[in-house]
Amino acid sequence: MARRFWRNIWRFLNTDIELNLPGNVTGGVEATKALFEIAKAVQENKDARVLKPLVENFDSVLDVLNSPLGKVVKESLPFLPIATGIISYIVEKTRQEPTLEDAVQLVAQVAYLESFRIFFIEYPEISERLTETEASEAVQKQINKLDEDIDFNDRNAKDTLICFYHSPLREKFDEILLARLQESGLDENTAKIVTKRISRTTHRYMKEAVVKVKDDAKQLAGIYGDGWQQDLEVYGSIDKYLEEAIATKPQEKVFDENFSFRQIYVPLEVKAVKSDGEVDKDAESQNIEEWAKTILLDENKDKQVLFIQAGPGRGKSVFCRMFADSVRRELHPIYTPILIRLRDVRNFAANIDETLANAVGRDFVKTDTGWLTDRNTRFLFLLDGFDELLLERGASNELKVFLDQVAQFQKQAAENKERGHRVLITGRPLALYGIERLMPPNLERVSILPMGDDIQQQWFEKWQTLVGEEETEKFREFLHSQQCPKQVKELAREPLLLYLLAAMHRDEQLQGEMFATADVGGAKVLIYEQALEWVLEKQRVEDGQNLNPEITKLEPEDLEILLAEAGLCVVQSGGEYAAIKMIEDRLVKQGYKELQALIEKARQDKQEDGLKNALAAFYLKSAAGAENSVEFFHKSFGEFLCAKRMAESLEDLTETGKRGKSYVVSDKELEWQVYDLFGYRNLTAEVVEYLMALLVKSEVELEVLFERLHGFYLDWCDGKFIEEREEVLPQKKARQLWQWRIESGQRRVDIYTGLNVMILLFELHRYGQSQEGLQEQLHFYPCGKPDSEYFDDVRLMRIIAYSECIEVTGFVGKVGGFLRSADLSSADLNSANLSGTYLNDGYLNNLTPSTFHFGLTNLRDADFSSACLNEANLMGLNLIGVNLRNADLISINLRDADLRDANLSGVNLRNADLTFAQLIGVNLSDANLSGADFSGANLSGANLSNIKWNNQTIWSNTIGLHEAREVPEDLQQNPEFAEAVAQSEAASQQQ
C-alpha cells in the first residue's frame, strides 16, 4: 500500500495532461482537497505530469486522518469520487484496468473514509466532541508503514471485497482510527464503538463504488457478479425497516395519552437469575440497558442468549421497543436490531432460520436467501414474550423446544463468522414452570426488578414534565403517606401500575381509603376496576361530557360487558388476541341482544366495523397478522377483564329464587356454564389471583359456590359429562372453539374443565383455611373426606392418569402451581408422577406461608423429582421407592416415614426432621443434610457419597449407620459421627 501503492497508481496516471496545484501536500484537510483535485483532474482530462509530486507525497488516502478530525469532518467532500474517478480514467486512457490489489486498496481506503465522513454527519453530538488535535508521531508512522505491515495479495483483495470487516486492511485501518479518535478527545469505550460502526459500514460504500465502475473495472466487479446491486437494495431495505419498524417505536403514544413512550420511559434494573430460576439476591443490580450492551459487546460471551424474565406489567415489551431503537442509534451496524413479538409469529418451523425469516418478512429477507450468512451483516433479534409462545403452542415442552432452538442458534452464530448474530428474549417466568431445571446452559439470565427509589424518582421527574410539578408532588406524597397501604406502594414499583395510579390520581380517581383492607390481589383489582371506570367514564371528557357514547354509540354499561367478554375471548383463544366474530357470537349467545343491536347500528352508521372501533377505543387494537381480530395493549388488563367475566358468572351460580327454594341457575345450566368458562387450556396464576380477589370482594356466598363446584367436580371425576349419551358438553364446547379456529377436542375440553375446577376448589380451600369459621365449609379433599361416603383413595390417581392423556405432565403442569395448602389426607398416590410440583408456600409471591398436608397418603414409588416440598408434612407416610431426586425438602417433616430404596440424590434436606425414618438402601448422594436430624433413623445400606453436612446435623442413635456406603472421609473423621457409628455397630452386635 502506501508509497508503493501510489507509485502503481502514478504509473497509470503518467500521461500528457496538465494540472495547476501546489507542489507540497502534507496530509489532513490539504490532502483531502488535493485528492479531490486529483479526481477532478482525471475526470477533466488534464495534464497528469503535475500530479506526480502530489502522488509521491501521499503515503495513503488515510493521510487525511493526520489533521484535526473536526476539521476533516467539517470541510471534507464525498470521498467515493476519488476512487471511481481515478479507476474510470485509468481504464479510459490506458485501456487497461489497474491490478485487482491496487483497485481494492484504493476503493477500501476511500470507502473507509466515506464511512467515517457519513458517520460524523449523522451523529453531530459525537462530532462536536472532537478536538483540534493533530495526529501524533506514532500514528503518522502507522500510516506510513501500512505498506510494510500488510502483504496484500490477490487473495486478500478478494476477501476484502467479499467482507471488508474480516480483512487485514480493516484491522490496520481500525488501529489508526481508534488511536486518532482517542487523541481527539473520545473516551476509549466510545472510540472503540465508533471505530467498529465505521468499519462495519465500509463494505456498503465499497459496493457503491464498485457499482459505479462495474463497466470499466470488470475484474473488480466480477468478484461478486451481479450481487453488488442486489446487496445495495438489501441494505436499503434494512434502512427502511429500521426507519419504519424500529425508529418509530419510542414515538408511539402510551395508550390514548398525548405523550409517547420515550417521554415517560425510564430504564429499569435487573439482577442475575440462578439455574434454579431464583433471582440471585447476592448479585449486584444493573441498569438493564447497560447490562444488555455490555453482554453484546463482550466477545467472550458471544455464545450467550440474553434472557430477560419478569412478571406482567414490569416493562419487558417497552424495554424491547426502546432498546431496539437504542441499538439502532448507538450500535448499528455492529448489530442491526430486529424486533419480533412472538405472539405475532404464525409459522414456527423446525428450523429457526425459517421461523425468523417468516417473522421478519421484509424485502431484505425475501430477496436474499442468504441473509443470515452475510458476513457483512449482524442482527440482534429481540424476541419479545416467550410466554406468548407457550400460550400459542399450548405445551411447556413446545416452549422448551423453542428455547433449545434459540440456544443452539446462538451457539452456532458464535462459532461461524458468516453469522455472528445475537438473540435477546423476554417473557414471564411462570411460563418456565416445569422446565426450569431443563433450561439451556448458555442463557445469560436476568430478572427485571421492581422500581427502586432512584428509578421511581427518575420516573417522577419525567411525569412532572407531562403533568406539572404540583400534581406530581401530590401523587408522590400520597404514595409515601400512611394512608397509602403497603400493597399499593409495592404496586407502584411496577411501571404499568405506577402509570395507572398516577393517571388516576391526576384525574382525581384515586383515594387512600380505597385500599384500607385489600391484600395484593385485591389492591390490583381495585386499581384495575378504577382504571376500567376511568376508561369508560373519564378517559374522553370534554366540557364535563363523556364522549365515549358518542364515539362508540354504546353506553358505559354495555361497553363494560363488551370489554369483559373480549377479555374472556382473548384468554380462551390461547394467545394475545381474539377474533371479533368470536366476541360477537358470545355476546349474542349470552343474551346481550340489545348490545348486539347497538353494534350492528354502529356498523351501519359508520359503514365499517363498529365493534372493532368500540374495542379499539379501550386499550385494544387490531392484532398484527390476524385479520378481524383484536388484542389488548397490555396482557394483564385483558386477564383482569377475563377474571371479571368469570366472577360475574360464578356469582350467578349462588343466586336463589324466591324464598330461596332453588337456584336461579339450574344444575343443568351450571354444567354448561362451567364448560363454557373453563373448557380451555388451564387457568393462569394471574387470572386466578384476580378471580379470587373479585369473588371475595363481591361478598358472594363462597360456601354455596364451593358446594356447587364440588358437586360438579365429583360428577366430572365419575366421567358423567364425557360419557353422556345425549348432549355431550365437552363436545359442544370443542365444536364452539373449533368454530372460532381454536384448536381443541372434547377430551381436551373435558380434562381442562375438570382441572380448572380443581384449581378453583384448591384456591377456595386455601382462602377458607385463613378465615375463621370457613375452615370446614371450604375444606377441599381431592379424594373426599376420609370416612365419608364420597371418599375414594385413588380418585386423585385417576385424575393424574387421565390428565396425562393430553401430555405426560398434564396434572403437574396445569395444577401443580396451585397445590399450596392442599389436603391429600389418605390419598393413594402409589407410583404417581408429581415431578416438578411446587407444594410449599413459595411458588407465588406475597402469600401467607402454608403447609402441605398428606395425612395417611400412600406415596409409594411416586415421582417427585425436582419438586418443592419445603416444610411439607410427610410424617409416617409410605414412601418406599419414591423418587425425590433434586427436590427441595427444606424443613420437611419425614418423621417415622418409610423411605426404603428411595432416590434422594441431590435433594436439599436442610433442617429436615428424619427421626425414626426408615432409610434402608436410600440414595442420599450429593444431598444437603445440613441441620437434618437422623435420630433413631435406619440408614443401613444408604449411599452417602458427596453429601453436604455441618455440625448441626444430628446422627445420634442412628441405626445401621455403620453399614452406610461411600461415607465421605471428612465425615468419618467427625467425632460425633464416629461415635454414632460405633453405637450403631455395638447395637447391631447385641442384636
Side-chain angles (χ1 to χ4, degrees), residues 257 463 471 500-511 530 534 538-539:
E257 299 278 12
W463 185 247
E471 164 56 29
L500 289 174
L501 288 167
M504 286 188 287
H505 189 276
R506 174 195 63 191
D507 298 327
E508 300 181 350
Q509 296 296 306
L510 188 62
Q511 303 297 328
Q530 198 70 11
W534 176 59
K538 304 295 183 182
Q539 187 184 31

mmCIF file with all atom_site columns, all heavy atoms in Angstrom, residues 257 463 471 500-511 530 534 538-539:
data_model
loop_
_atom_site.group_PDB
_atom_site.id
_atom_site.type_symbol
_atom_site.label_atom_id
_atom_site.label_alt_id
_atom_site.label_comp_id
_atom_site.label_asym_id
_atom_site.label_entity_id
_atom_site.label_seq_id
_atom_site.pdbx_PDB_ins_code
_atom_site.Cartn_x
_atom_site.Cartn_y
_atom_site.Cartn_z
_atom_site.occupancy
_atom_site.B_iso_or_equiv
_atom_site.pdbx_formal_charge
_atom_site.auth_seq_id
_atom_site.auth_comp_id
_atom_site.auth_asym_id
_atom_site.auth_atom_id
_atom_site.pdbx_PDB_model_num
ATOM 1   N N   . GLU A 1 257 ? -53.010 8.488  25.555 1.00 0.00 ? 257 GLU A N   1
ATOM 2   C CA  . GLU A 1 257 ? -52.468 9.736  26.081 1.00 0.00 ? 257 GLU A CA  1
ATOM 3   C C   . GLU A 1 257 ? -51.896 10.569 24.932 1.00 0.00 ? 257 GLU A C   1
ATOM 4   O O   . GLU A 1 257 ? -51.739 10.085 23.812 1.00 0.00 ? 257 GLU A O   1
ATOM 5   C CB  . GLU A 1 257 ? -51.363 9.434  27.106 1.00 0.00 ? 257 GLU A CB  1
ATOM 6   C CG  . GLU A 1 257 ? -51.828 8.633  28.308 1.00 0.00 ? 257 GLU A CG  1
ATOM 7   C CD  . GLU A 1 257 ? -52.494 9.492  29.364 1.00 0.00 ? 257 GLU A CD  1
ATOM 8   O OE1 . GLU A 1 257 ? -52.798 10.669 29.074 1.00 0.00 ? 257 GLU A OE1 1
ATOM 9   O OE2 . GLU A 1 257 ? -52.713 8.988  30.474 1.00 0.00 ? 257 GLU A OE2 1
ATOM 10  N N   . TRP A 1 463 ? -42.631 12.310 34.644 1.00 0.00 ? 463 TRP A N   1
ATOM 11  C CA  . TRP A 1 463 ? -44.062 12.552 34.796 1.00 0.00 ? 463 TRP A CA  1
ATOM 12  C C   . TRP A 1 463 ? -44.320 14.039 35.051 1.00 0.00 ? 463 TRP A C   1
ATOM 13  O O   . TRP A 1 463 ? -45.311 14.597 34.576 1.00 0.00 ? 463 TRP A O   1
ATOM 14  C CB  . TRP A 1 463 ? -44.602 11.705 35.938 1.00 0.00 ? 463 TRP A CB  1
ATOM 15  C CG  . TRP A 1 463 ? -46.090 11.758 36.152 1.00 0.00 ? 463 TRP A CG  1
ATOM 16  C CD1 . TRP A 1 463 ? -46.744 12.288 37.230 1.00 0.00 ? 463 TRP A CD1 1
ATOM 17  C CD2 . TRP A 1 463 ? -47.114 11.248 35.289 1.00 0.00 ? 463 TRP A CD2 1
ATOM 18  N NE1 . TRP A 1 463 ? -48.103 12.154 37.096 1.00 0.00 ? 463 TRP A NE1 1
ATOM 19  C CE2 . TRP A 1 463 ? -48.364 11.513 35.905 1.00 0.00 ? 463 TRP A CE2 1
ATOM 20  C CE3 . TRP A 1 463 ? -47.105 10.606 34.056 1.00 0.00 ? 463 TRP A CE3 1
ATOM 21  C CZ2 . TRP A 1 463 ? -49.573 11.150 35.333 1.00 0.00 ? 463 TRP A CZ2 1
ATOM 22  C CZ3 . TRP A 1 463 ? -48.316 10.241 33.476 1.00 0.00 ? 463 TRP A CZ3 1
ATOM 23  C CH2 . TRP A 1 463 ? -49.529 10.517 34.116 1.00 0.00 ? 463 TRP A CH2 1
ATOM 24  N N   . GLU A 1 471 ? -48.997 18.581 40.645 1.00 0.00 ? 471 GLU A N   1
ATOM 25  C CA  . GLU A 1 471 ? -49.687 17.292 40.595 1.00 0.00 ? 471 GLU A CA  1
ATOM 26  C C   . GLU A 1 471 ? -48.733 16.153 40.930 1.00 0.00 ? 471 GLU A C   1
ATOM 27  O O   . GLU A 1 471 ? -49.086 15.225 41.671 1.00 0.00 ? 471 GLU A O   1
ATOM 28  C CB  . GLU A 1 471 ? -50.309 17.084 39.210 1.00 0.00 ? 471 GLU A CB  1
ATOM 29  C CG  . GLU A 1 471 ? -50.727 15.640 38.900 1.00 0.00 ? 471 GLU A CG  1
ATOM 30  C CD  . GLU A 1 471 ? -51.694 15.066 39.917 1.00 0.00 ? 471 GLU A CD  1
ATOM 31  O OE1 . GLU A 1 471 ? -52.478 15.834 40.522 1.00 0.00 ? 471 GLU A OE1 1
ATOM 32  O OE2 . GLU A 1 471 ? -51.661 13.836 40.106 1.00 0.00 ? 471 GLU A OE2 1
ATOM 33  N N   . LEU A 1 500 ? -50.815 3.750  35.816 1.00 0.00 ? 500 LEU A N   1
ATOM 34  C CA  . LEU A 1 500 ? -52.254 3.750  36.044 1.00 0.00 ? 500 LEU A CA  1
ATOM 35  C C   . LEU A 1 500 ? -52.603 4.516  37.322 1.00 0.00 ? 500 LEU A C   1
ATOM 36  O O   . LEU A 1 500 ? -53.558 5.299  37.356 1.00 0.00 ? 500 LEU A O   1
ATOM 37  C CB  . LEU A 1 500 ? -52.769 2.309  36.134 1.00 0.00 ? 500 LEU A CB  1
ATOM 38  C CG  . LEU A 1 500 ? -52.784 1.507  34.830 1.00 0.00 ? 500 LEU A CG  1
ATOM 39  C CD1 . LEU A 1 500 ? -53.179 0.066  35.110 1.00 0.00 ? 500 LEU A CD1 1
ATOM 40  C CD2 . LEU A 1 500 ? -53.724 2.127  33.815 1.00 0.00 ? 500 LEU A CD2 1
ATOM 41  N N   . LEU A 1 501 ? -51.812 4.286  38.378 1.00 0.00 ? 501 LEU A N   1
ATOM 42  C CA  . LEU A 1 501 ? -52.040 5.004  39.625 1.00 0.00 ? 501 LEU A CA  1
ATOM 43  C C   . LEU A 1 501 ? -51.878 6.510  39.421 1.00 0.00 ? 501 LEU A C   1
ATOM 44  O O   . LEU A 1 501 ? -52.692 7.310  39.889 1.00 0.00 ? 501 LEU A O   1
ATOM 45  C CB  . LEU A 1 501 ? -51.073 4.507  40.693 1.00 0.00 ? 501 LEU A CB  1
ATOM 46  C CG  . LEU A 1 501 ? -51.330 3.108  41.265 1.00 0.00 ? 501 LEU A CG  1
ATOM 47  C CD1 . LEU A 1 501 ? -50.124 2.640  42.060 1.00 0.00 ? 501 LEU A CD1 1
ATOM 48  C CD2 . LEU A 1 501 ? -52.581 3.093  42.124 1.00 0.00 ? 501 LEU A CD2 1
ATOM 49  N N   . ALA A 1 502 ? -50.807 6.881  38.735 1.00 0.00 ? 502 ALA A N   1
ATOM 50  C CA  . ALA A 1 502 ? -50.535 8.302  38.507 1.00 0.00 ? 502 ALA A CA  1
ATOM 51  C C   . ALA A 1 502 ? -51.629 8.949  37.669 1.00 0.00 ? 502 ALA A C   1
ATOM 52  O O   . ALA A 1 502 ? -52.067 10.072 37.951 1.00 0.00 ? 502 ALA A O   1
ATOM 53  C CB  . ALA A 1 502 ? -49.179 8.477  37.837 1.00 0.00 ? 502 ALA A CB  1
ATOM 54  N N   . ALA A 1 503 ? -52.067 8.241  36.639 1.00 0.00 ? 503 ALA A N   1
ATOM 55  C CA  . ALA A 1 503 ? -53.113 8.787  35.770 1.00 0.00 ? 503 ALA A CA  1
ATOM 56  C C   . ALA A 1 503 ? -54.429 8.931  36.524 1.00 0.00 ? 503 ALA A C   1
ATOM 57  O O   . ALA A 1 503 ? -55.153 9.926  36.361 1.00 0.00 ? 503 ALA A O   1
ATOM 58  C CB  . ALA A 1 503 ? -53.292 7.894  34.548 1.00 0.00 ? 503 ALA A CB  1
ATOM 59  N N   . MET A 1 504 ? -54.754 7.929  37.361 1.00 0.00 ? 504 MET A N   1
ATOM 60  C CA  . MET A 1 504 ? -55.987 8.024  38.139 1.00 0.00 ? 504 MET A CA  1
ATOM 61  C C   . MET A 1 504 ? -55.901 9.157  39.166 1.00 0.00 ? 504 MET A C   1
ATOM 62  O O   . MET A 1 504 ? -56.872 9.865  39.407 1.00 0.00 ? 504 MET A O   1
ATOM 63  C CB  . MET A 1 504 ? -56.276 6.691  38.827 1.00 0.00 ? 504 MET A CB  1
ATOM 64  C CG  . MET A 1 504 ? -56.775 5.609  37.872 1.00 0.00 ? 504 MET A CG  1
ATOM 65  S SD  . MET A 1 504 ? -57.332 4.123  38.731 1.00 0.00 ? 504 MET A SD  1
ATOM 66  C CE  . MET A 1 504 ? -55.776 3.437  39.258 1.00 0.00 ? 504 MET A CE  1
ATOM 67  N N   . HIS A 1 505 ? -54.731 9.318  39.777 1.00 0.00 ? 505 HIS A N   1
ATOM 68  C CA  . HIS A 1 505 ? -54.556 10.404 40.735 1.00 0.00 ? 505 HIS A CA  1
ATOM 69  C C   . HIS A 1 505 ? -54.679 11.752 40.033 1.00 0.00 ? 505 HIS A C   1
ATOM 70  O O   . HIS A 1 505 ? -55.316 12.685 40.549 1.00 0.00 ? 505 HIS A O   1
ATOM 71  C CB  . HIS A 1 505 ? -53.198 10.276 41.429 1.00 0.00 ? 505 HIS A CB  1
ATOM 72  C CG  . HIS A 1 505 ? -53.015 11.207 42.579 1.00 0.00 ? 505 HIS A CG  1
ATOM 73  N ND1 . HIS A 1 505 ? -52.601 12.516 42.410 1.00 0.00 ? 505 HIS A ND1 1
ATOM 74  C CD2 . HIS A 1 505 ? -53.210 11.040 43.903 1.00 0.00 ? 505 HIS A CD2 1
ATOM 75  C CE1 . HIS A 1 505 ? -52.538 13.093 43.596 1.00 0.00 ? 505 HIS A CE1 1
ATOM 76  N NE2 . HIS A 1 505 ? -52.901 12.223 44.522 1.00 0.00 ? 505 HIS A NE2 1
ATOM 77  N N   . ARG A 1 506 ? -54.082 11.827 38.852 1.00 0.00 ? 506 ARG A N   1
ATOM 78  C CA  . ARG A 1 506 ? -54.186 13.059 38.058 1.00 0.00 ? 506 ARG A CA  1
ATOM 79  C C   . ARG A 1 506 ? -55.639 13.407 37.792 1.00 0.00 ? 506 ARG A C   1
ATOM 80  O O   . ARG A 1 506 ? -56.026 14.578 37.802 1.00 0.00 ? 506 ARG A O   1
ATOM 81  C CB  . ARG A 1 506 ? -53.432 12.863 36.739 1.00 0.00 ? 506 ARG A CB  1
ATOM 82  C CG  . ARG A 1 506 ? -53.556 13.996 35.748 1.00 0.00 ? 506 ARG A CG  1
ATOM 83  C CD  . ARG A 1 506 ? -53.090 13.528 34.360 1.00 0.00 ? 506 ARG A CD  1
ATOM 84  N NE  . ARG A 1 506 ? -53.934 12.466 33.850 1.00 0.00 ? 506 ARG A NE  1
ATOM 85  C CZ  . ARG A 1 506 ? -53.644 11.734 32.770 1.00 0.00 ? 506 ARG A CZ  1
ATOM 86  N NH1 . ARG A 1 506 ? -52.523 11.955 32.101 1.00 0.00 ? 506 ARG A NH1 1
ATOM 87  N NH2 . ARG A 1 506 ? -54.456 10.794 32.361 1.00 0.00 ? 506 ARG A NH2 1
ATOM 88  N N   . ASP A 1 507 ? -56.459 12.379 37.548 1.00 0.00 ? 507 ASP A N   1
ATOM 89  C CA  . ASP A 1 507 ? -57.864 12.591 37.218 1.00 0.00 ? 507 ASP A CA  1
ATOM 90  C C   . ASP A 1 507 ? -58.766 12.466 38.447 1.00 0.00 ? 507 ASP A C   1
ATOM 91  O O   . ASP A 1 507 ? -59.980 12.260 38.319 1.00 0.00 ? 507 ASP A O   1
ATOM 92  C CB  . ASP A 1 507 ? -58.297 11.586 36.142 1.00 0.00 ? 507 ASP A CB  1
ATOM 93  C CG  . ASP A 1 507 ? -57.517 11.774 34.862 1.00 0.00 ? 507 ASP A CG  1
ATOM 94  O OD1 . ASP A 1 507 ? -57.164 12.924 34.552 1.00 0.00 ? 507 ASP A OD1 1
ATOM 95  O OD2 . ASP A 1 507 ? -57.255 10.769 34.179 1.00 0.00 ? 507 ASP A OD2 1
ATOM 96  N N   . GLU A 1 508 ? -58.142 12.548 39.641 1.00 0.00 ? 508 GLU A N   1
ATOM 97  C CA  . GLU A 1 508 ? -58.865 12.566 40.917 1.00 0.00 ? 508 GLU A CA  1
ATOM 98  C C   . GLU A 1 508 ? -59.717 11.314 41.111 1.00 0.00 ? 508 GLU A C   1
ATOM 99  O O   . GLU A 1 508 ? -60.826 11.369 41.641 1.00 0.00 ? 508 GLU A O   1
ATOM 100 C CB  . GLU A 1 508 ? -59.728 13.835 41.022 1.00 0.00 ? 508 GLU A CB  1
ATOM 101 C CG  . GLU A 1 508 ? -58.910 15.118 40.944 1.00 0.00 ? 508 GLU A CG  1
ATOM 102 C CD  . GLU A 1 508 ? -59.763 16.367 41.071 1.00 0.00 ? 508 GLU A CD  1
ATOM 103 O OE1 . GLU A 1 508 ? -61.005 16.230 41.026 1.00 0.00 ? 508 GLU A OE1 1
ATOM 104 O OE2 . GLU A 1 508 ? -59.190 17.455 41.218 1.00 0.00 ? 508 GLU A OE2 1
ATOM 105 N N   . GLN A 1 509 ? -59.194 10.178 40.678 1.00 0.00 ? 509 GLN A N   1
ATOM 106 C CA  . GLN A 1 509 ? -59.912 8.917  40.823 1.00 0.00 ? 509 GLN A CA  1
ATOM 107 C C   . GLN A 1 509 ? -59.212 7.963  41.799 1.00 0.00 ? 509 GLN A C   1
ATOM 108 O O   . GLN A 1 509 ? -59.560 6.788  41.858 1.00 0.00 ? 509 GLN A O   1
ATOM 109 C CB  . GLN A 1 509 ? -60.034 8.227  39.456 1.00 0.00 ? 509 GLN A CB  1
ATOM 110 C CG  . GLN A 1 509 ? -60.852 8.989  38.447 1.00 0.00 ? 509 GLN A CG  1
ATOM 111 C CD  . GLN A 1 509 ? -62.300 9.105  38.892 1.00 0.00 ? 509 GLN A CD  1
ATOM 112 O OE1 . GLN A 1 509 ? -62.944 8.105  39.192 1.00 0.00 ? 509 GLN A OE1 1
ATOM 113 N NE2 . GLN A 1 509 ? -62.816 10.319 38.949 1.00 0.00 ? 509 GLN A NE2 1
ATOM 114 N N   . LEU A 1 510 ? -58.273 8.457  42.557 1.00 0.00 ? 510 LEU A N   1
ATOM 115 C CA  . LEU A 1 510 ? -57.509 7.606  43.462 1.00 0.00 ? 510 LEU A CA  1
ATOM 116 C C   . LEU A 1 510 ? -57.607 8.175  44.867 1.00 0.00 ? 510 LEU A C   1
ATOM 117 O O   . LEU A 1 510 ? -57.203 9.309  45.117 1.00 0.00 ? 510 LEU A O   1
ATOM 118 C CB  . LEU A 1 510 ? -56.043 7.555  43.014 1.00 0.00 ? 510 LEU A CB  1
ATOM 119 C CG  . LEU A 1 510 ? -55.143 6.567  43.741 1.00 0.00 ? 510 LEU A CG  1
ATOM 120 C CD1 . LEU A 1 510 ? -55.607 5.146  43.538 1.00 0.00 ? 510 LEU A CD1 1
ATOM 121 C CD2 . LEU A 1 510 ? -53.712 6.714  43.250 1.00 0.00 ? 510 LEU A CD2 1
ATOM 122 N N   . GLN A 1 511 ? -58.164 7.366  45.788 1.00 0.00 ? 511 GLN A N   1
ATOM 123 C CA  . GLN A 1 511 ? -58.327 7.793  47.167 1.00 0.00 ? 511 GLN A CA  1
ATOM 124 C C   . GLN A 1 511 ? -57.671 6.764  48.088 1.00 0.00 ? 511 GLN A C   1
ATOM 125 O O   . GLN A 1 511 ? -57.795 5.560  47.883 1.00 0.00 ? 511 GLN A O   1
ATOM 126 C CB  . GLN A 1 511 ? -59.819 7.916  47.516 1.00 0.00 ? 511 GLN A CB  1
ATOM 127 C CG  . GLN A 1 511 ? -60.590 8.858  46.610 1.00 0.00 ? 511 GLN A CG  1
ATOM 128 C CD  . GLN A 1 511 ? -60.103 10.294 46.706 1.00 0.00 ? 511 GLN A CD  1
ATOM 129 O OE1 . GLN A 1 511 ? -59.654 10.726 47.772 1.00 0.00 ? 511 GLN A OE1 1
ATOM 130 N NE2 . GLN A 1 511 ? -60.195 11.039 45.616 1.00 0.00 ? 511 GLN A NE2 1
ATOM 131 N N   . GLN A 1 530 ? -60.800 0.604  39.063 1.00 0.00 ? 530 GLN A N   1
ATOM 132 C CA  . GLN A 1 530 ? -60.792 2.060  38.949 1.00 0.00 ? 530 GLN A CA  1
ATOM 133 C C   . GLN A 1 530 ? -60.318 2.484  37.557 1.00 0.00 ? 530 GLN A C   1
ATOM 134 O O   . GLN A 1 530 ? -60.826 3.438  36.973 1.00 0.00 ? 530 GLN A O   1
ATOM 135 C CB  . GLN A 1 530 ? -59.887 2.650  40.033 1.00 0.00 ? 530 GLN A CB  1
ATOM 136 C CG  . GLN A 1 530 ? -60.108 4.124  40.304 1.00 0.00 ? 530 GLN A CG  1
ATOM 137 C CD  . GLN A 1 530 ? -61.451 4.389  40.983 1.00 0.00 ? 530 GLN A CD  1
ATOM 138 O OE1 . GLN A 1 530 ? -62.109 3.457  41.432 1.00 0.00 ? 530 GLN A OE1 1
ATOM 139 N NE2 . GLN A 1 530 ? -61.855 5.644  41.037 1.00 0.00 ? 530 GLN A NE2 1
ATOM 140 N N   . TRP A 1 534 ? -62.284 4.571  34.868 1.00 0.00 ? 534 TRP A N   1
ATOM 141 C CA  . TRP A 1 534 ? -61.621 5.727  34.249 1.00 0.00 ? 534 TRP A CA  1
ATOM 142 C C   . TRP A 1 534 ? -61.715 5.652  32.737 1.00 0.00 ? 534 TRP A C   1
ATOM 143 O O   . TRP A 1 534 ? -62.006 6.631  32.048 1.00 0.00 ? 534 TRP A O   1
ATOM 144 C CB  . TRP A 1 534 ? -60.169 5.754  34.716 1.00 0.00 ? 534 TRP A CB  1
ATOM 145 C CG  . TRP A 1 534 ? -59.322 6.821  34.099 1.00 0.00 ? 534 TRP A CG  1
ATOM 146 C CD1 . TRP A 1 534 ? -59.521 8.165  34.148 1.00 0.00 ? 534 TRP A CD1 1
ATOM 147 C CD2 . TRP A 1 534 ? -58.125 6.622  33.355 1.00 0.00 ? 534 TRP A CD2 1
ATOM 148 N NE1 . TRP A 1 534 ? -58.512 8.823  33.470 1.00 0.00 ? 534 TRP A NE1 1
ATOM 149 C CE2 . TRP A 1 534 ? -57.644 7.887  32.974 1.00 0.00 ? 534 TRP A CE2 1
ATOM 150 C CE3 . TRP A 1 534 ? -57.400 5.501  32.979 1.00 0.00 ? 534 TRP A CE3 1
ATOM 151 C CZ2 . TRP A 1 534 ? -56.481 8.057  32.230 1.00 0.00 ? 534 TRP A CZ2 1
ATOM 152 C CZ3 . TRP A 1 534 ? -56.242 5.656  32.246 1.00 0.00 ? 534 TRP A CZ3 1
ATOM 153 C CH2 . TRP A 1 534 ? -55.797 6.933  31.872 1.00 0.00 ? 534 TRP A CH2 1
ATOM 154 N N   . LYS A 1 538 ? -64.131 8.517  32.223 1.00 0.00 ? 538 LYS A N   1
ATOM 155 C CA  . LYS A 1 538 ? -63.301 9.712  32.348 1.00 0.00 ? 538 LYS A CA  1
ATOM 156 C C   . LYS A 1 538 ? -62.269 9.895  31.231 1.00 0.00 ? 538 LYS A C   1
ATOM 157 O O   . LYS A 1 538 ? -61.675 10.957 31.118 1.00 0.00 ? 538 LYS A O   1
ATOM 158 C CB  . LYS A 1 538 ? -62.545 9.674  33.683 1.00 0.00 ? 538 LYS A CB  1
ATOM 159 C CG  . LYS A 1 538 ? -63.433 9.526  34.898 1.00 0.00 ? 538 LYS A CG  1
ATOM 160 C CD  . LYS A 1 538 ? -64.349 10.731 35.088 1.00 0.00 ? 538 LYS A CD  1
ATOM 161 C CE  . LYS A 1 538 ? -65.176 10.604 36.355 1.00 0.00 ? 538 LYS A CE  1
ATOM 162 N NZ  . LYS A 1 538 ? -66.095 11.739 36.525 1.00 0.00 ? 538 LYS A NZ  1
ATOM 163 N N   . GLN A 1 539 ? -62.060 8.855  30.467 1.00 0.00 ? 539 GLN A N   1
ATOM 164 C CA  . GLN A 1 539 ? -60.961 8.912  29.510 1.00 0.00 ? 539 GLN A CA  1
ATOM 165 C C   . GLN A 1 539 ? -61.157 10.006 28.462 1.00 0.00 ? 539 GLN A C   1
ATOM 166 O O   . GLN A 1 539 ? -60.206 10.665 28.063 1.00 0.00 ? 539 GLN A O   1
ATOM 167 C CB  . GLN A 1 539 ? -60.814 7.546  28.825 1.00 0.00 ? 539 GLN A CB  1
ATOM 168 C CG  . GLN A 1 539 ? -59.598 7.449  27.925 1.00 0.00 ? 539 GLN A CG  1
ATOM 169 C CD  . GLN A 1 539 ? -59.554 6.118  27.215 1.00 0.00 ? 539 GLN A CD  1
ATOM 170 O OE1 . GLN A 1 539 ? -60.585 5.525  26.922 1.00 0.00 ? 539 GLN A OE1 1
ATOM 171 N NE2 . GLN A 1 539 ? -58.366 5.630  26.951 1.00 0.00 ? 539 GLN A NE2 1
#
